[in-house]
Amino acid sequence: MDFRRLTYIVEVAKARSVTAAAHKLYISQPALSQVLAQVEAEVGVKLFDRRESPLRLTYAGELYVATAKEILASYETMKRRLADVAEGNEGKITLGLPVERSGYMLPEVLAKFQKTFPQVSLLLEEGGGKRILDLLENHDVDLVILPKSEESQEDKFQRRLIYPEEIFVLAQKPLPETQGKDYVEMKDLAAYPFILVKPGHAIRLRTDEIFRRSGVTPRILLETASNLTAAQMASRGLGLAIVPKRTIDVLAVKDQLQAYTIGINHETWDVDVIARKDHYFTRSEEYLIQLMQEEFSDVTL
């Protein structure tokens, strides 16, 4: 089986352009066009509708690409297992995670990881929760680090706990509704404006879930792509923010904020490593997960 040709067709489908795919694959556009023509001649159907720009997969093309991804994923699993037999000293780990979490979780862990696996490279794909889960489902990343939410898609993925993390409400000044307590009830905050992270991010999914359970429809003043930005806005008194603990840990203005846990039992979420159901964990991946668990096991709730 020619895995190279399968890879080429999948890349054309991703780029929706032969020219763009050729650039990414480091081959010439005519050479890639020739491969595409050869494959279509062999299967006897057109895989792409060339009358449209960008290119669009035909129904046959959709079937071909879906099957090609499954074959390539199985081939990668085989190679990873073979590499693991050879002590797992070489290879790569493609990791998807939110931008701000990568800066918080990876620096100390990677320094230790590279001492044990110096020949294993780590490639990062950063973005919102929905985007990186889509990358995982499409075999574009090996692992994802993401907190668990209602949309965890347990039927598609397997999860391993790294650590539980607390979620806080941030305010510029003490909130009268707390009556001196270190926690707040969301039902008491309905009148306040909120600065929330935009939909598509894991914290927004959890925030919406908290509001639903509390019976509160939030008055949203501003939406941002960053927990840090939301926290900084809260420090200026523009509204309340809801952020995970790691945001507070790295926040330069944390001394200017009041941080409240949510409810008497506190709101937490599990920060997990997520993989596809069929994923085989190499020795290097197992070690990376172990390091993250050890690094954050003493995070206080």
Side-chain angles (χ1 to χ4, degrees):
M1 180 173 291
D2 193 337
F3 295 100
R4 176 183 59 88
R5 296 206 302 181
L6 293 177
T7 301
Y8 285 1
I9 300 301
V10 169
E11 286 299 332
V12 172
K14 284 183 185 178
R16 301 186 67 186
S17 162
V18 175
T19 302
H23 179 74
K24 185 173 181 179
L25 293 165
Y26 299 103
I27 64 173
S28 69
Q29 186 270 335
L32 183 56
S33 294
Q34 183 178 11
V35 170
L36 177 56
Q38 290 171 347
V39 171
E40 289 182 326
E42 286 182 11
V43 299
V45 290
K46 293 294 183 182
L47 301 181
F48 295 91
D49 186 343
R50 293 171 177 76
R51 295 171 300 176
E52 297 191 16
S53 181
L55 290 178
R56 182 179 63 84
L57 284 167
T58 63
Y59 179 68
E62 291 176 358
L63 292 177
Y64 185 97
V65 169
T67 305
K69 286 182 176 180
E70 292 176 0
I71 294 171
L72 290 170
S74 297
Y75 180 57
E76 285 299 317
T77 296
M78 181 194 71
K79 291 196 298 181
R80 290 152 69 85
R81 288 179 171 173
L82 292 175
D84 220 29
V85 171
E87 301 302 326
N89 291 326
E90 296 185 10
K92 66 178 181 180
I93 301 173
T94 306
L95 189 62
L97 68 175
V99 177
E100 292 170 2
R101 193 166 289 279
S102 63
Y104 172 68
M105 294 187 66
L106 294 183
E108 292 298 324
V109 168
L110 290 186
K112 297 175 183 177
F113 177 81
Q114 289 180 334
K115 288 181 180 179
T116 302
F117 291 96
Q119 300 304 315
V120 176
S121 59
L122 191 69
L123 306 178
L124 298 182
E125 286 284 352
E126 299 171 305
K130 184 181 184 305
R131 175 178 179 271
I132 58 179
L133 284 177
D134 287 345
L135 292 175
L136 180 64
E137 185 176 359
N138 291 327
H139 302 273
D140 293 321
V141 297
D142 302 316
L143 304 173
V144 159
I145 298 175
L146 199 66
K148 190 173 184 177
S149 69
E150 283 186 335
E151 298 185 9
S152 53
Q153 298 176 288
E154 301 294 345
D155 58 324
K156 297 179 180 178
F157 305 127
Q158 55 177 309
R159 310 177 74 97
R160 294 193 187 183
L161 176 66
I162 303 175
Y163 73 106
E165 182 179 48
E166 202 155 45
I167 299 171
F168 289 85
V169 170
L170 300 184
Q172 182 190 45
K173 298 177 180 179
L175 297 174
E177 291 79 6
T178 66
Q179 298 178 345
K181 299 186 292 288
D182 62 356
Y183 68 90
V184 294
E185 297 291 351
M186 295 302 297
K187 62 182 177 60
D188 296 329
L189 304 180
Y192 286 89
F194 281 88
I195 300 146
L196 301 181
V197 174
K198 293 178 180 179
H201 294 262
I203 188 63
R204 180 58 181 269
L205 288 172
R206 187 53 182 272
T207 299
D208 290 345
E209 177 189 340
I210 291 171
F211 281 125
R212 281 195 301 272
R213 284 193 278 106
S214 303
V216 173
T217 300
R219 182 158 64 92
I220 302 174
L221 175 70
L222 178 70
E223 291 181 323
T224 173
S226 167
N227 281 298
L228 286 171
T229 299
Q232 289 165 340
M233 294 285 188
S235 75
R236 302 298 296 271
L238 297 176
L240 305 183
I242 300 177
V243 300
K245 184 179 185 298
R246 53 97 182 166
T247 299
I248 301 173
D249 290 341
V250 301
L251 193 61
V253 295
K254 60 184 175 183
D255 293 338
Q256 304 171 30
L257 285 163
Q258 302 293 319
Y260 297 97
T261 55
I262 301 175
I264 193 168
N265 295 319
H266 302 183
E267 285 283 350
T268 65
W269 60 2
D270 290 341
V271 179
D272 295 336
V273 170
I274 310 174
R276 293 180 299 277
K277 285 283 190 181
D278 61 352
H279 182 76
Y280 171 78
F281 289 87
T282 64
R283 286 180 64 246
S284 58
E285 289 175 344
E286 294 281 8
Y287 184 61
L288 179 63
I289 294 170
Q290 176 189 332
L291 287 177
M292 287 189 289
Q293 290 170 333
E294 292 173 352
E295 181 72 23
F296 296 97
S297 63
D298 61 348
V299 173
T300 55
L301 294 178

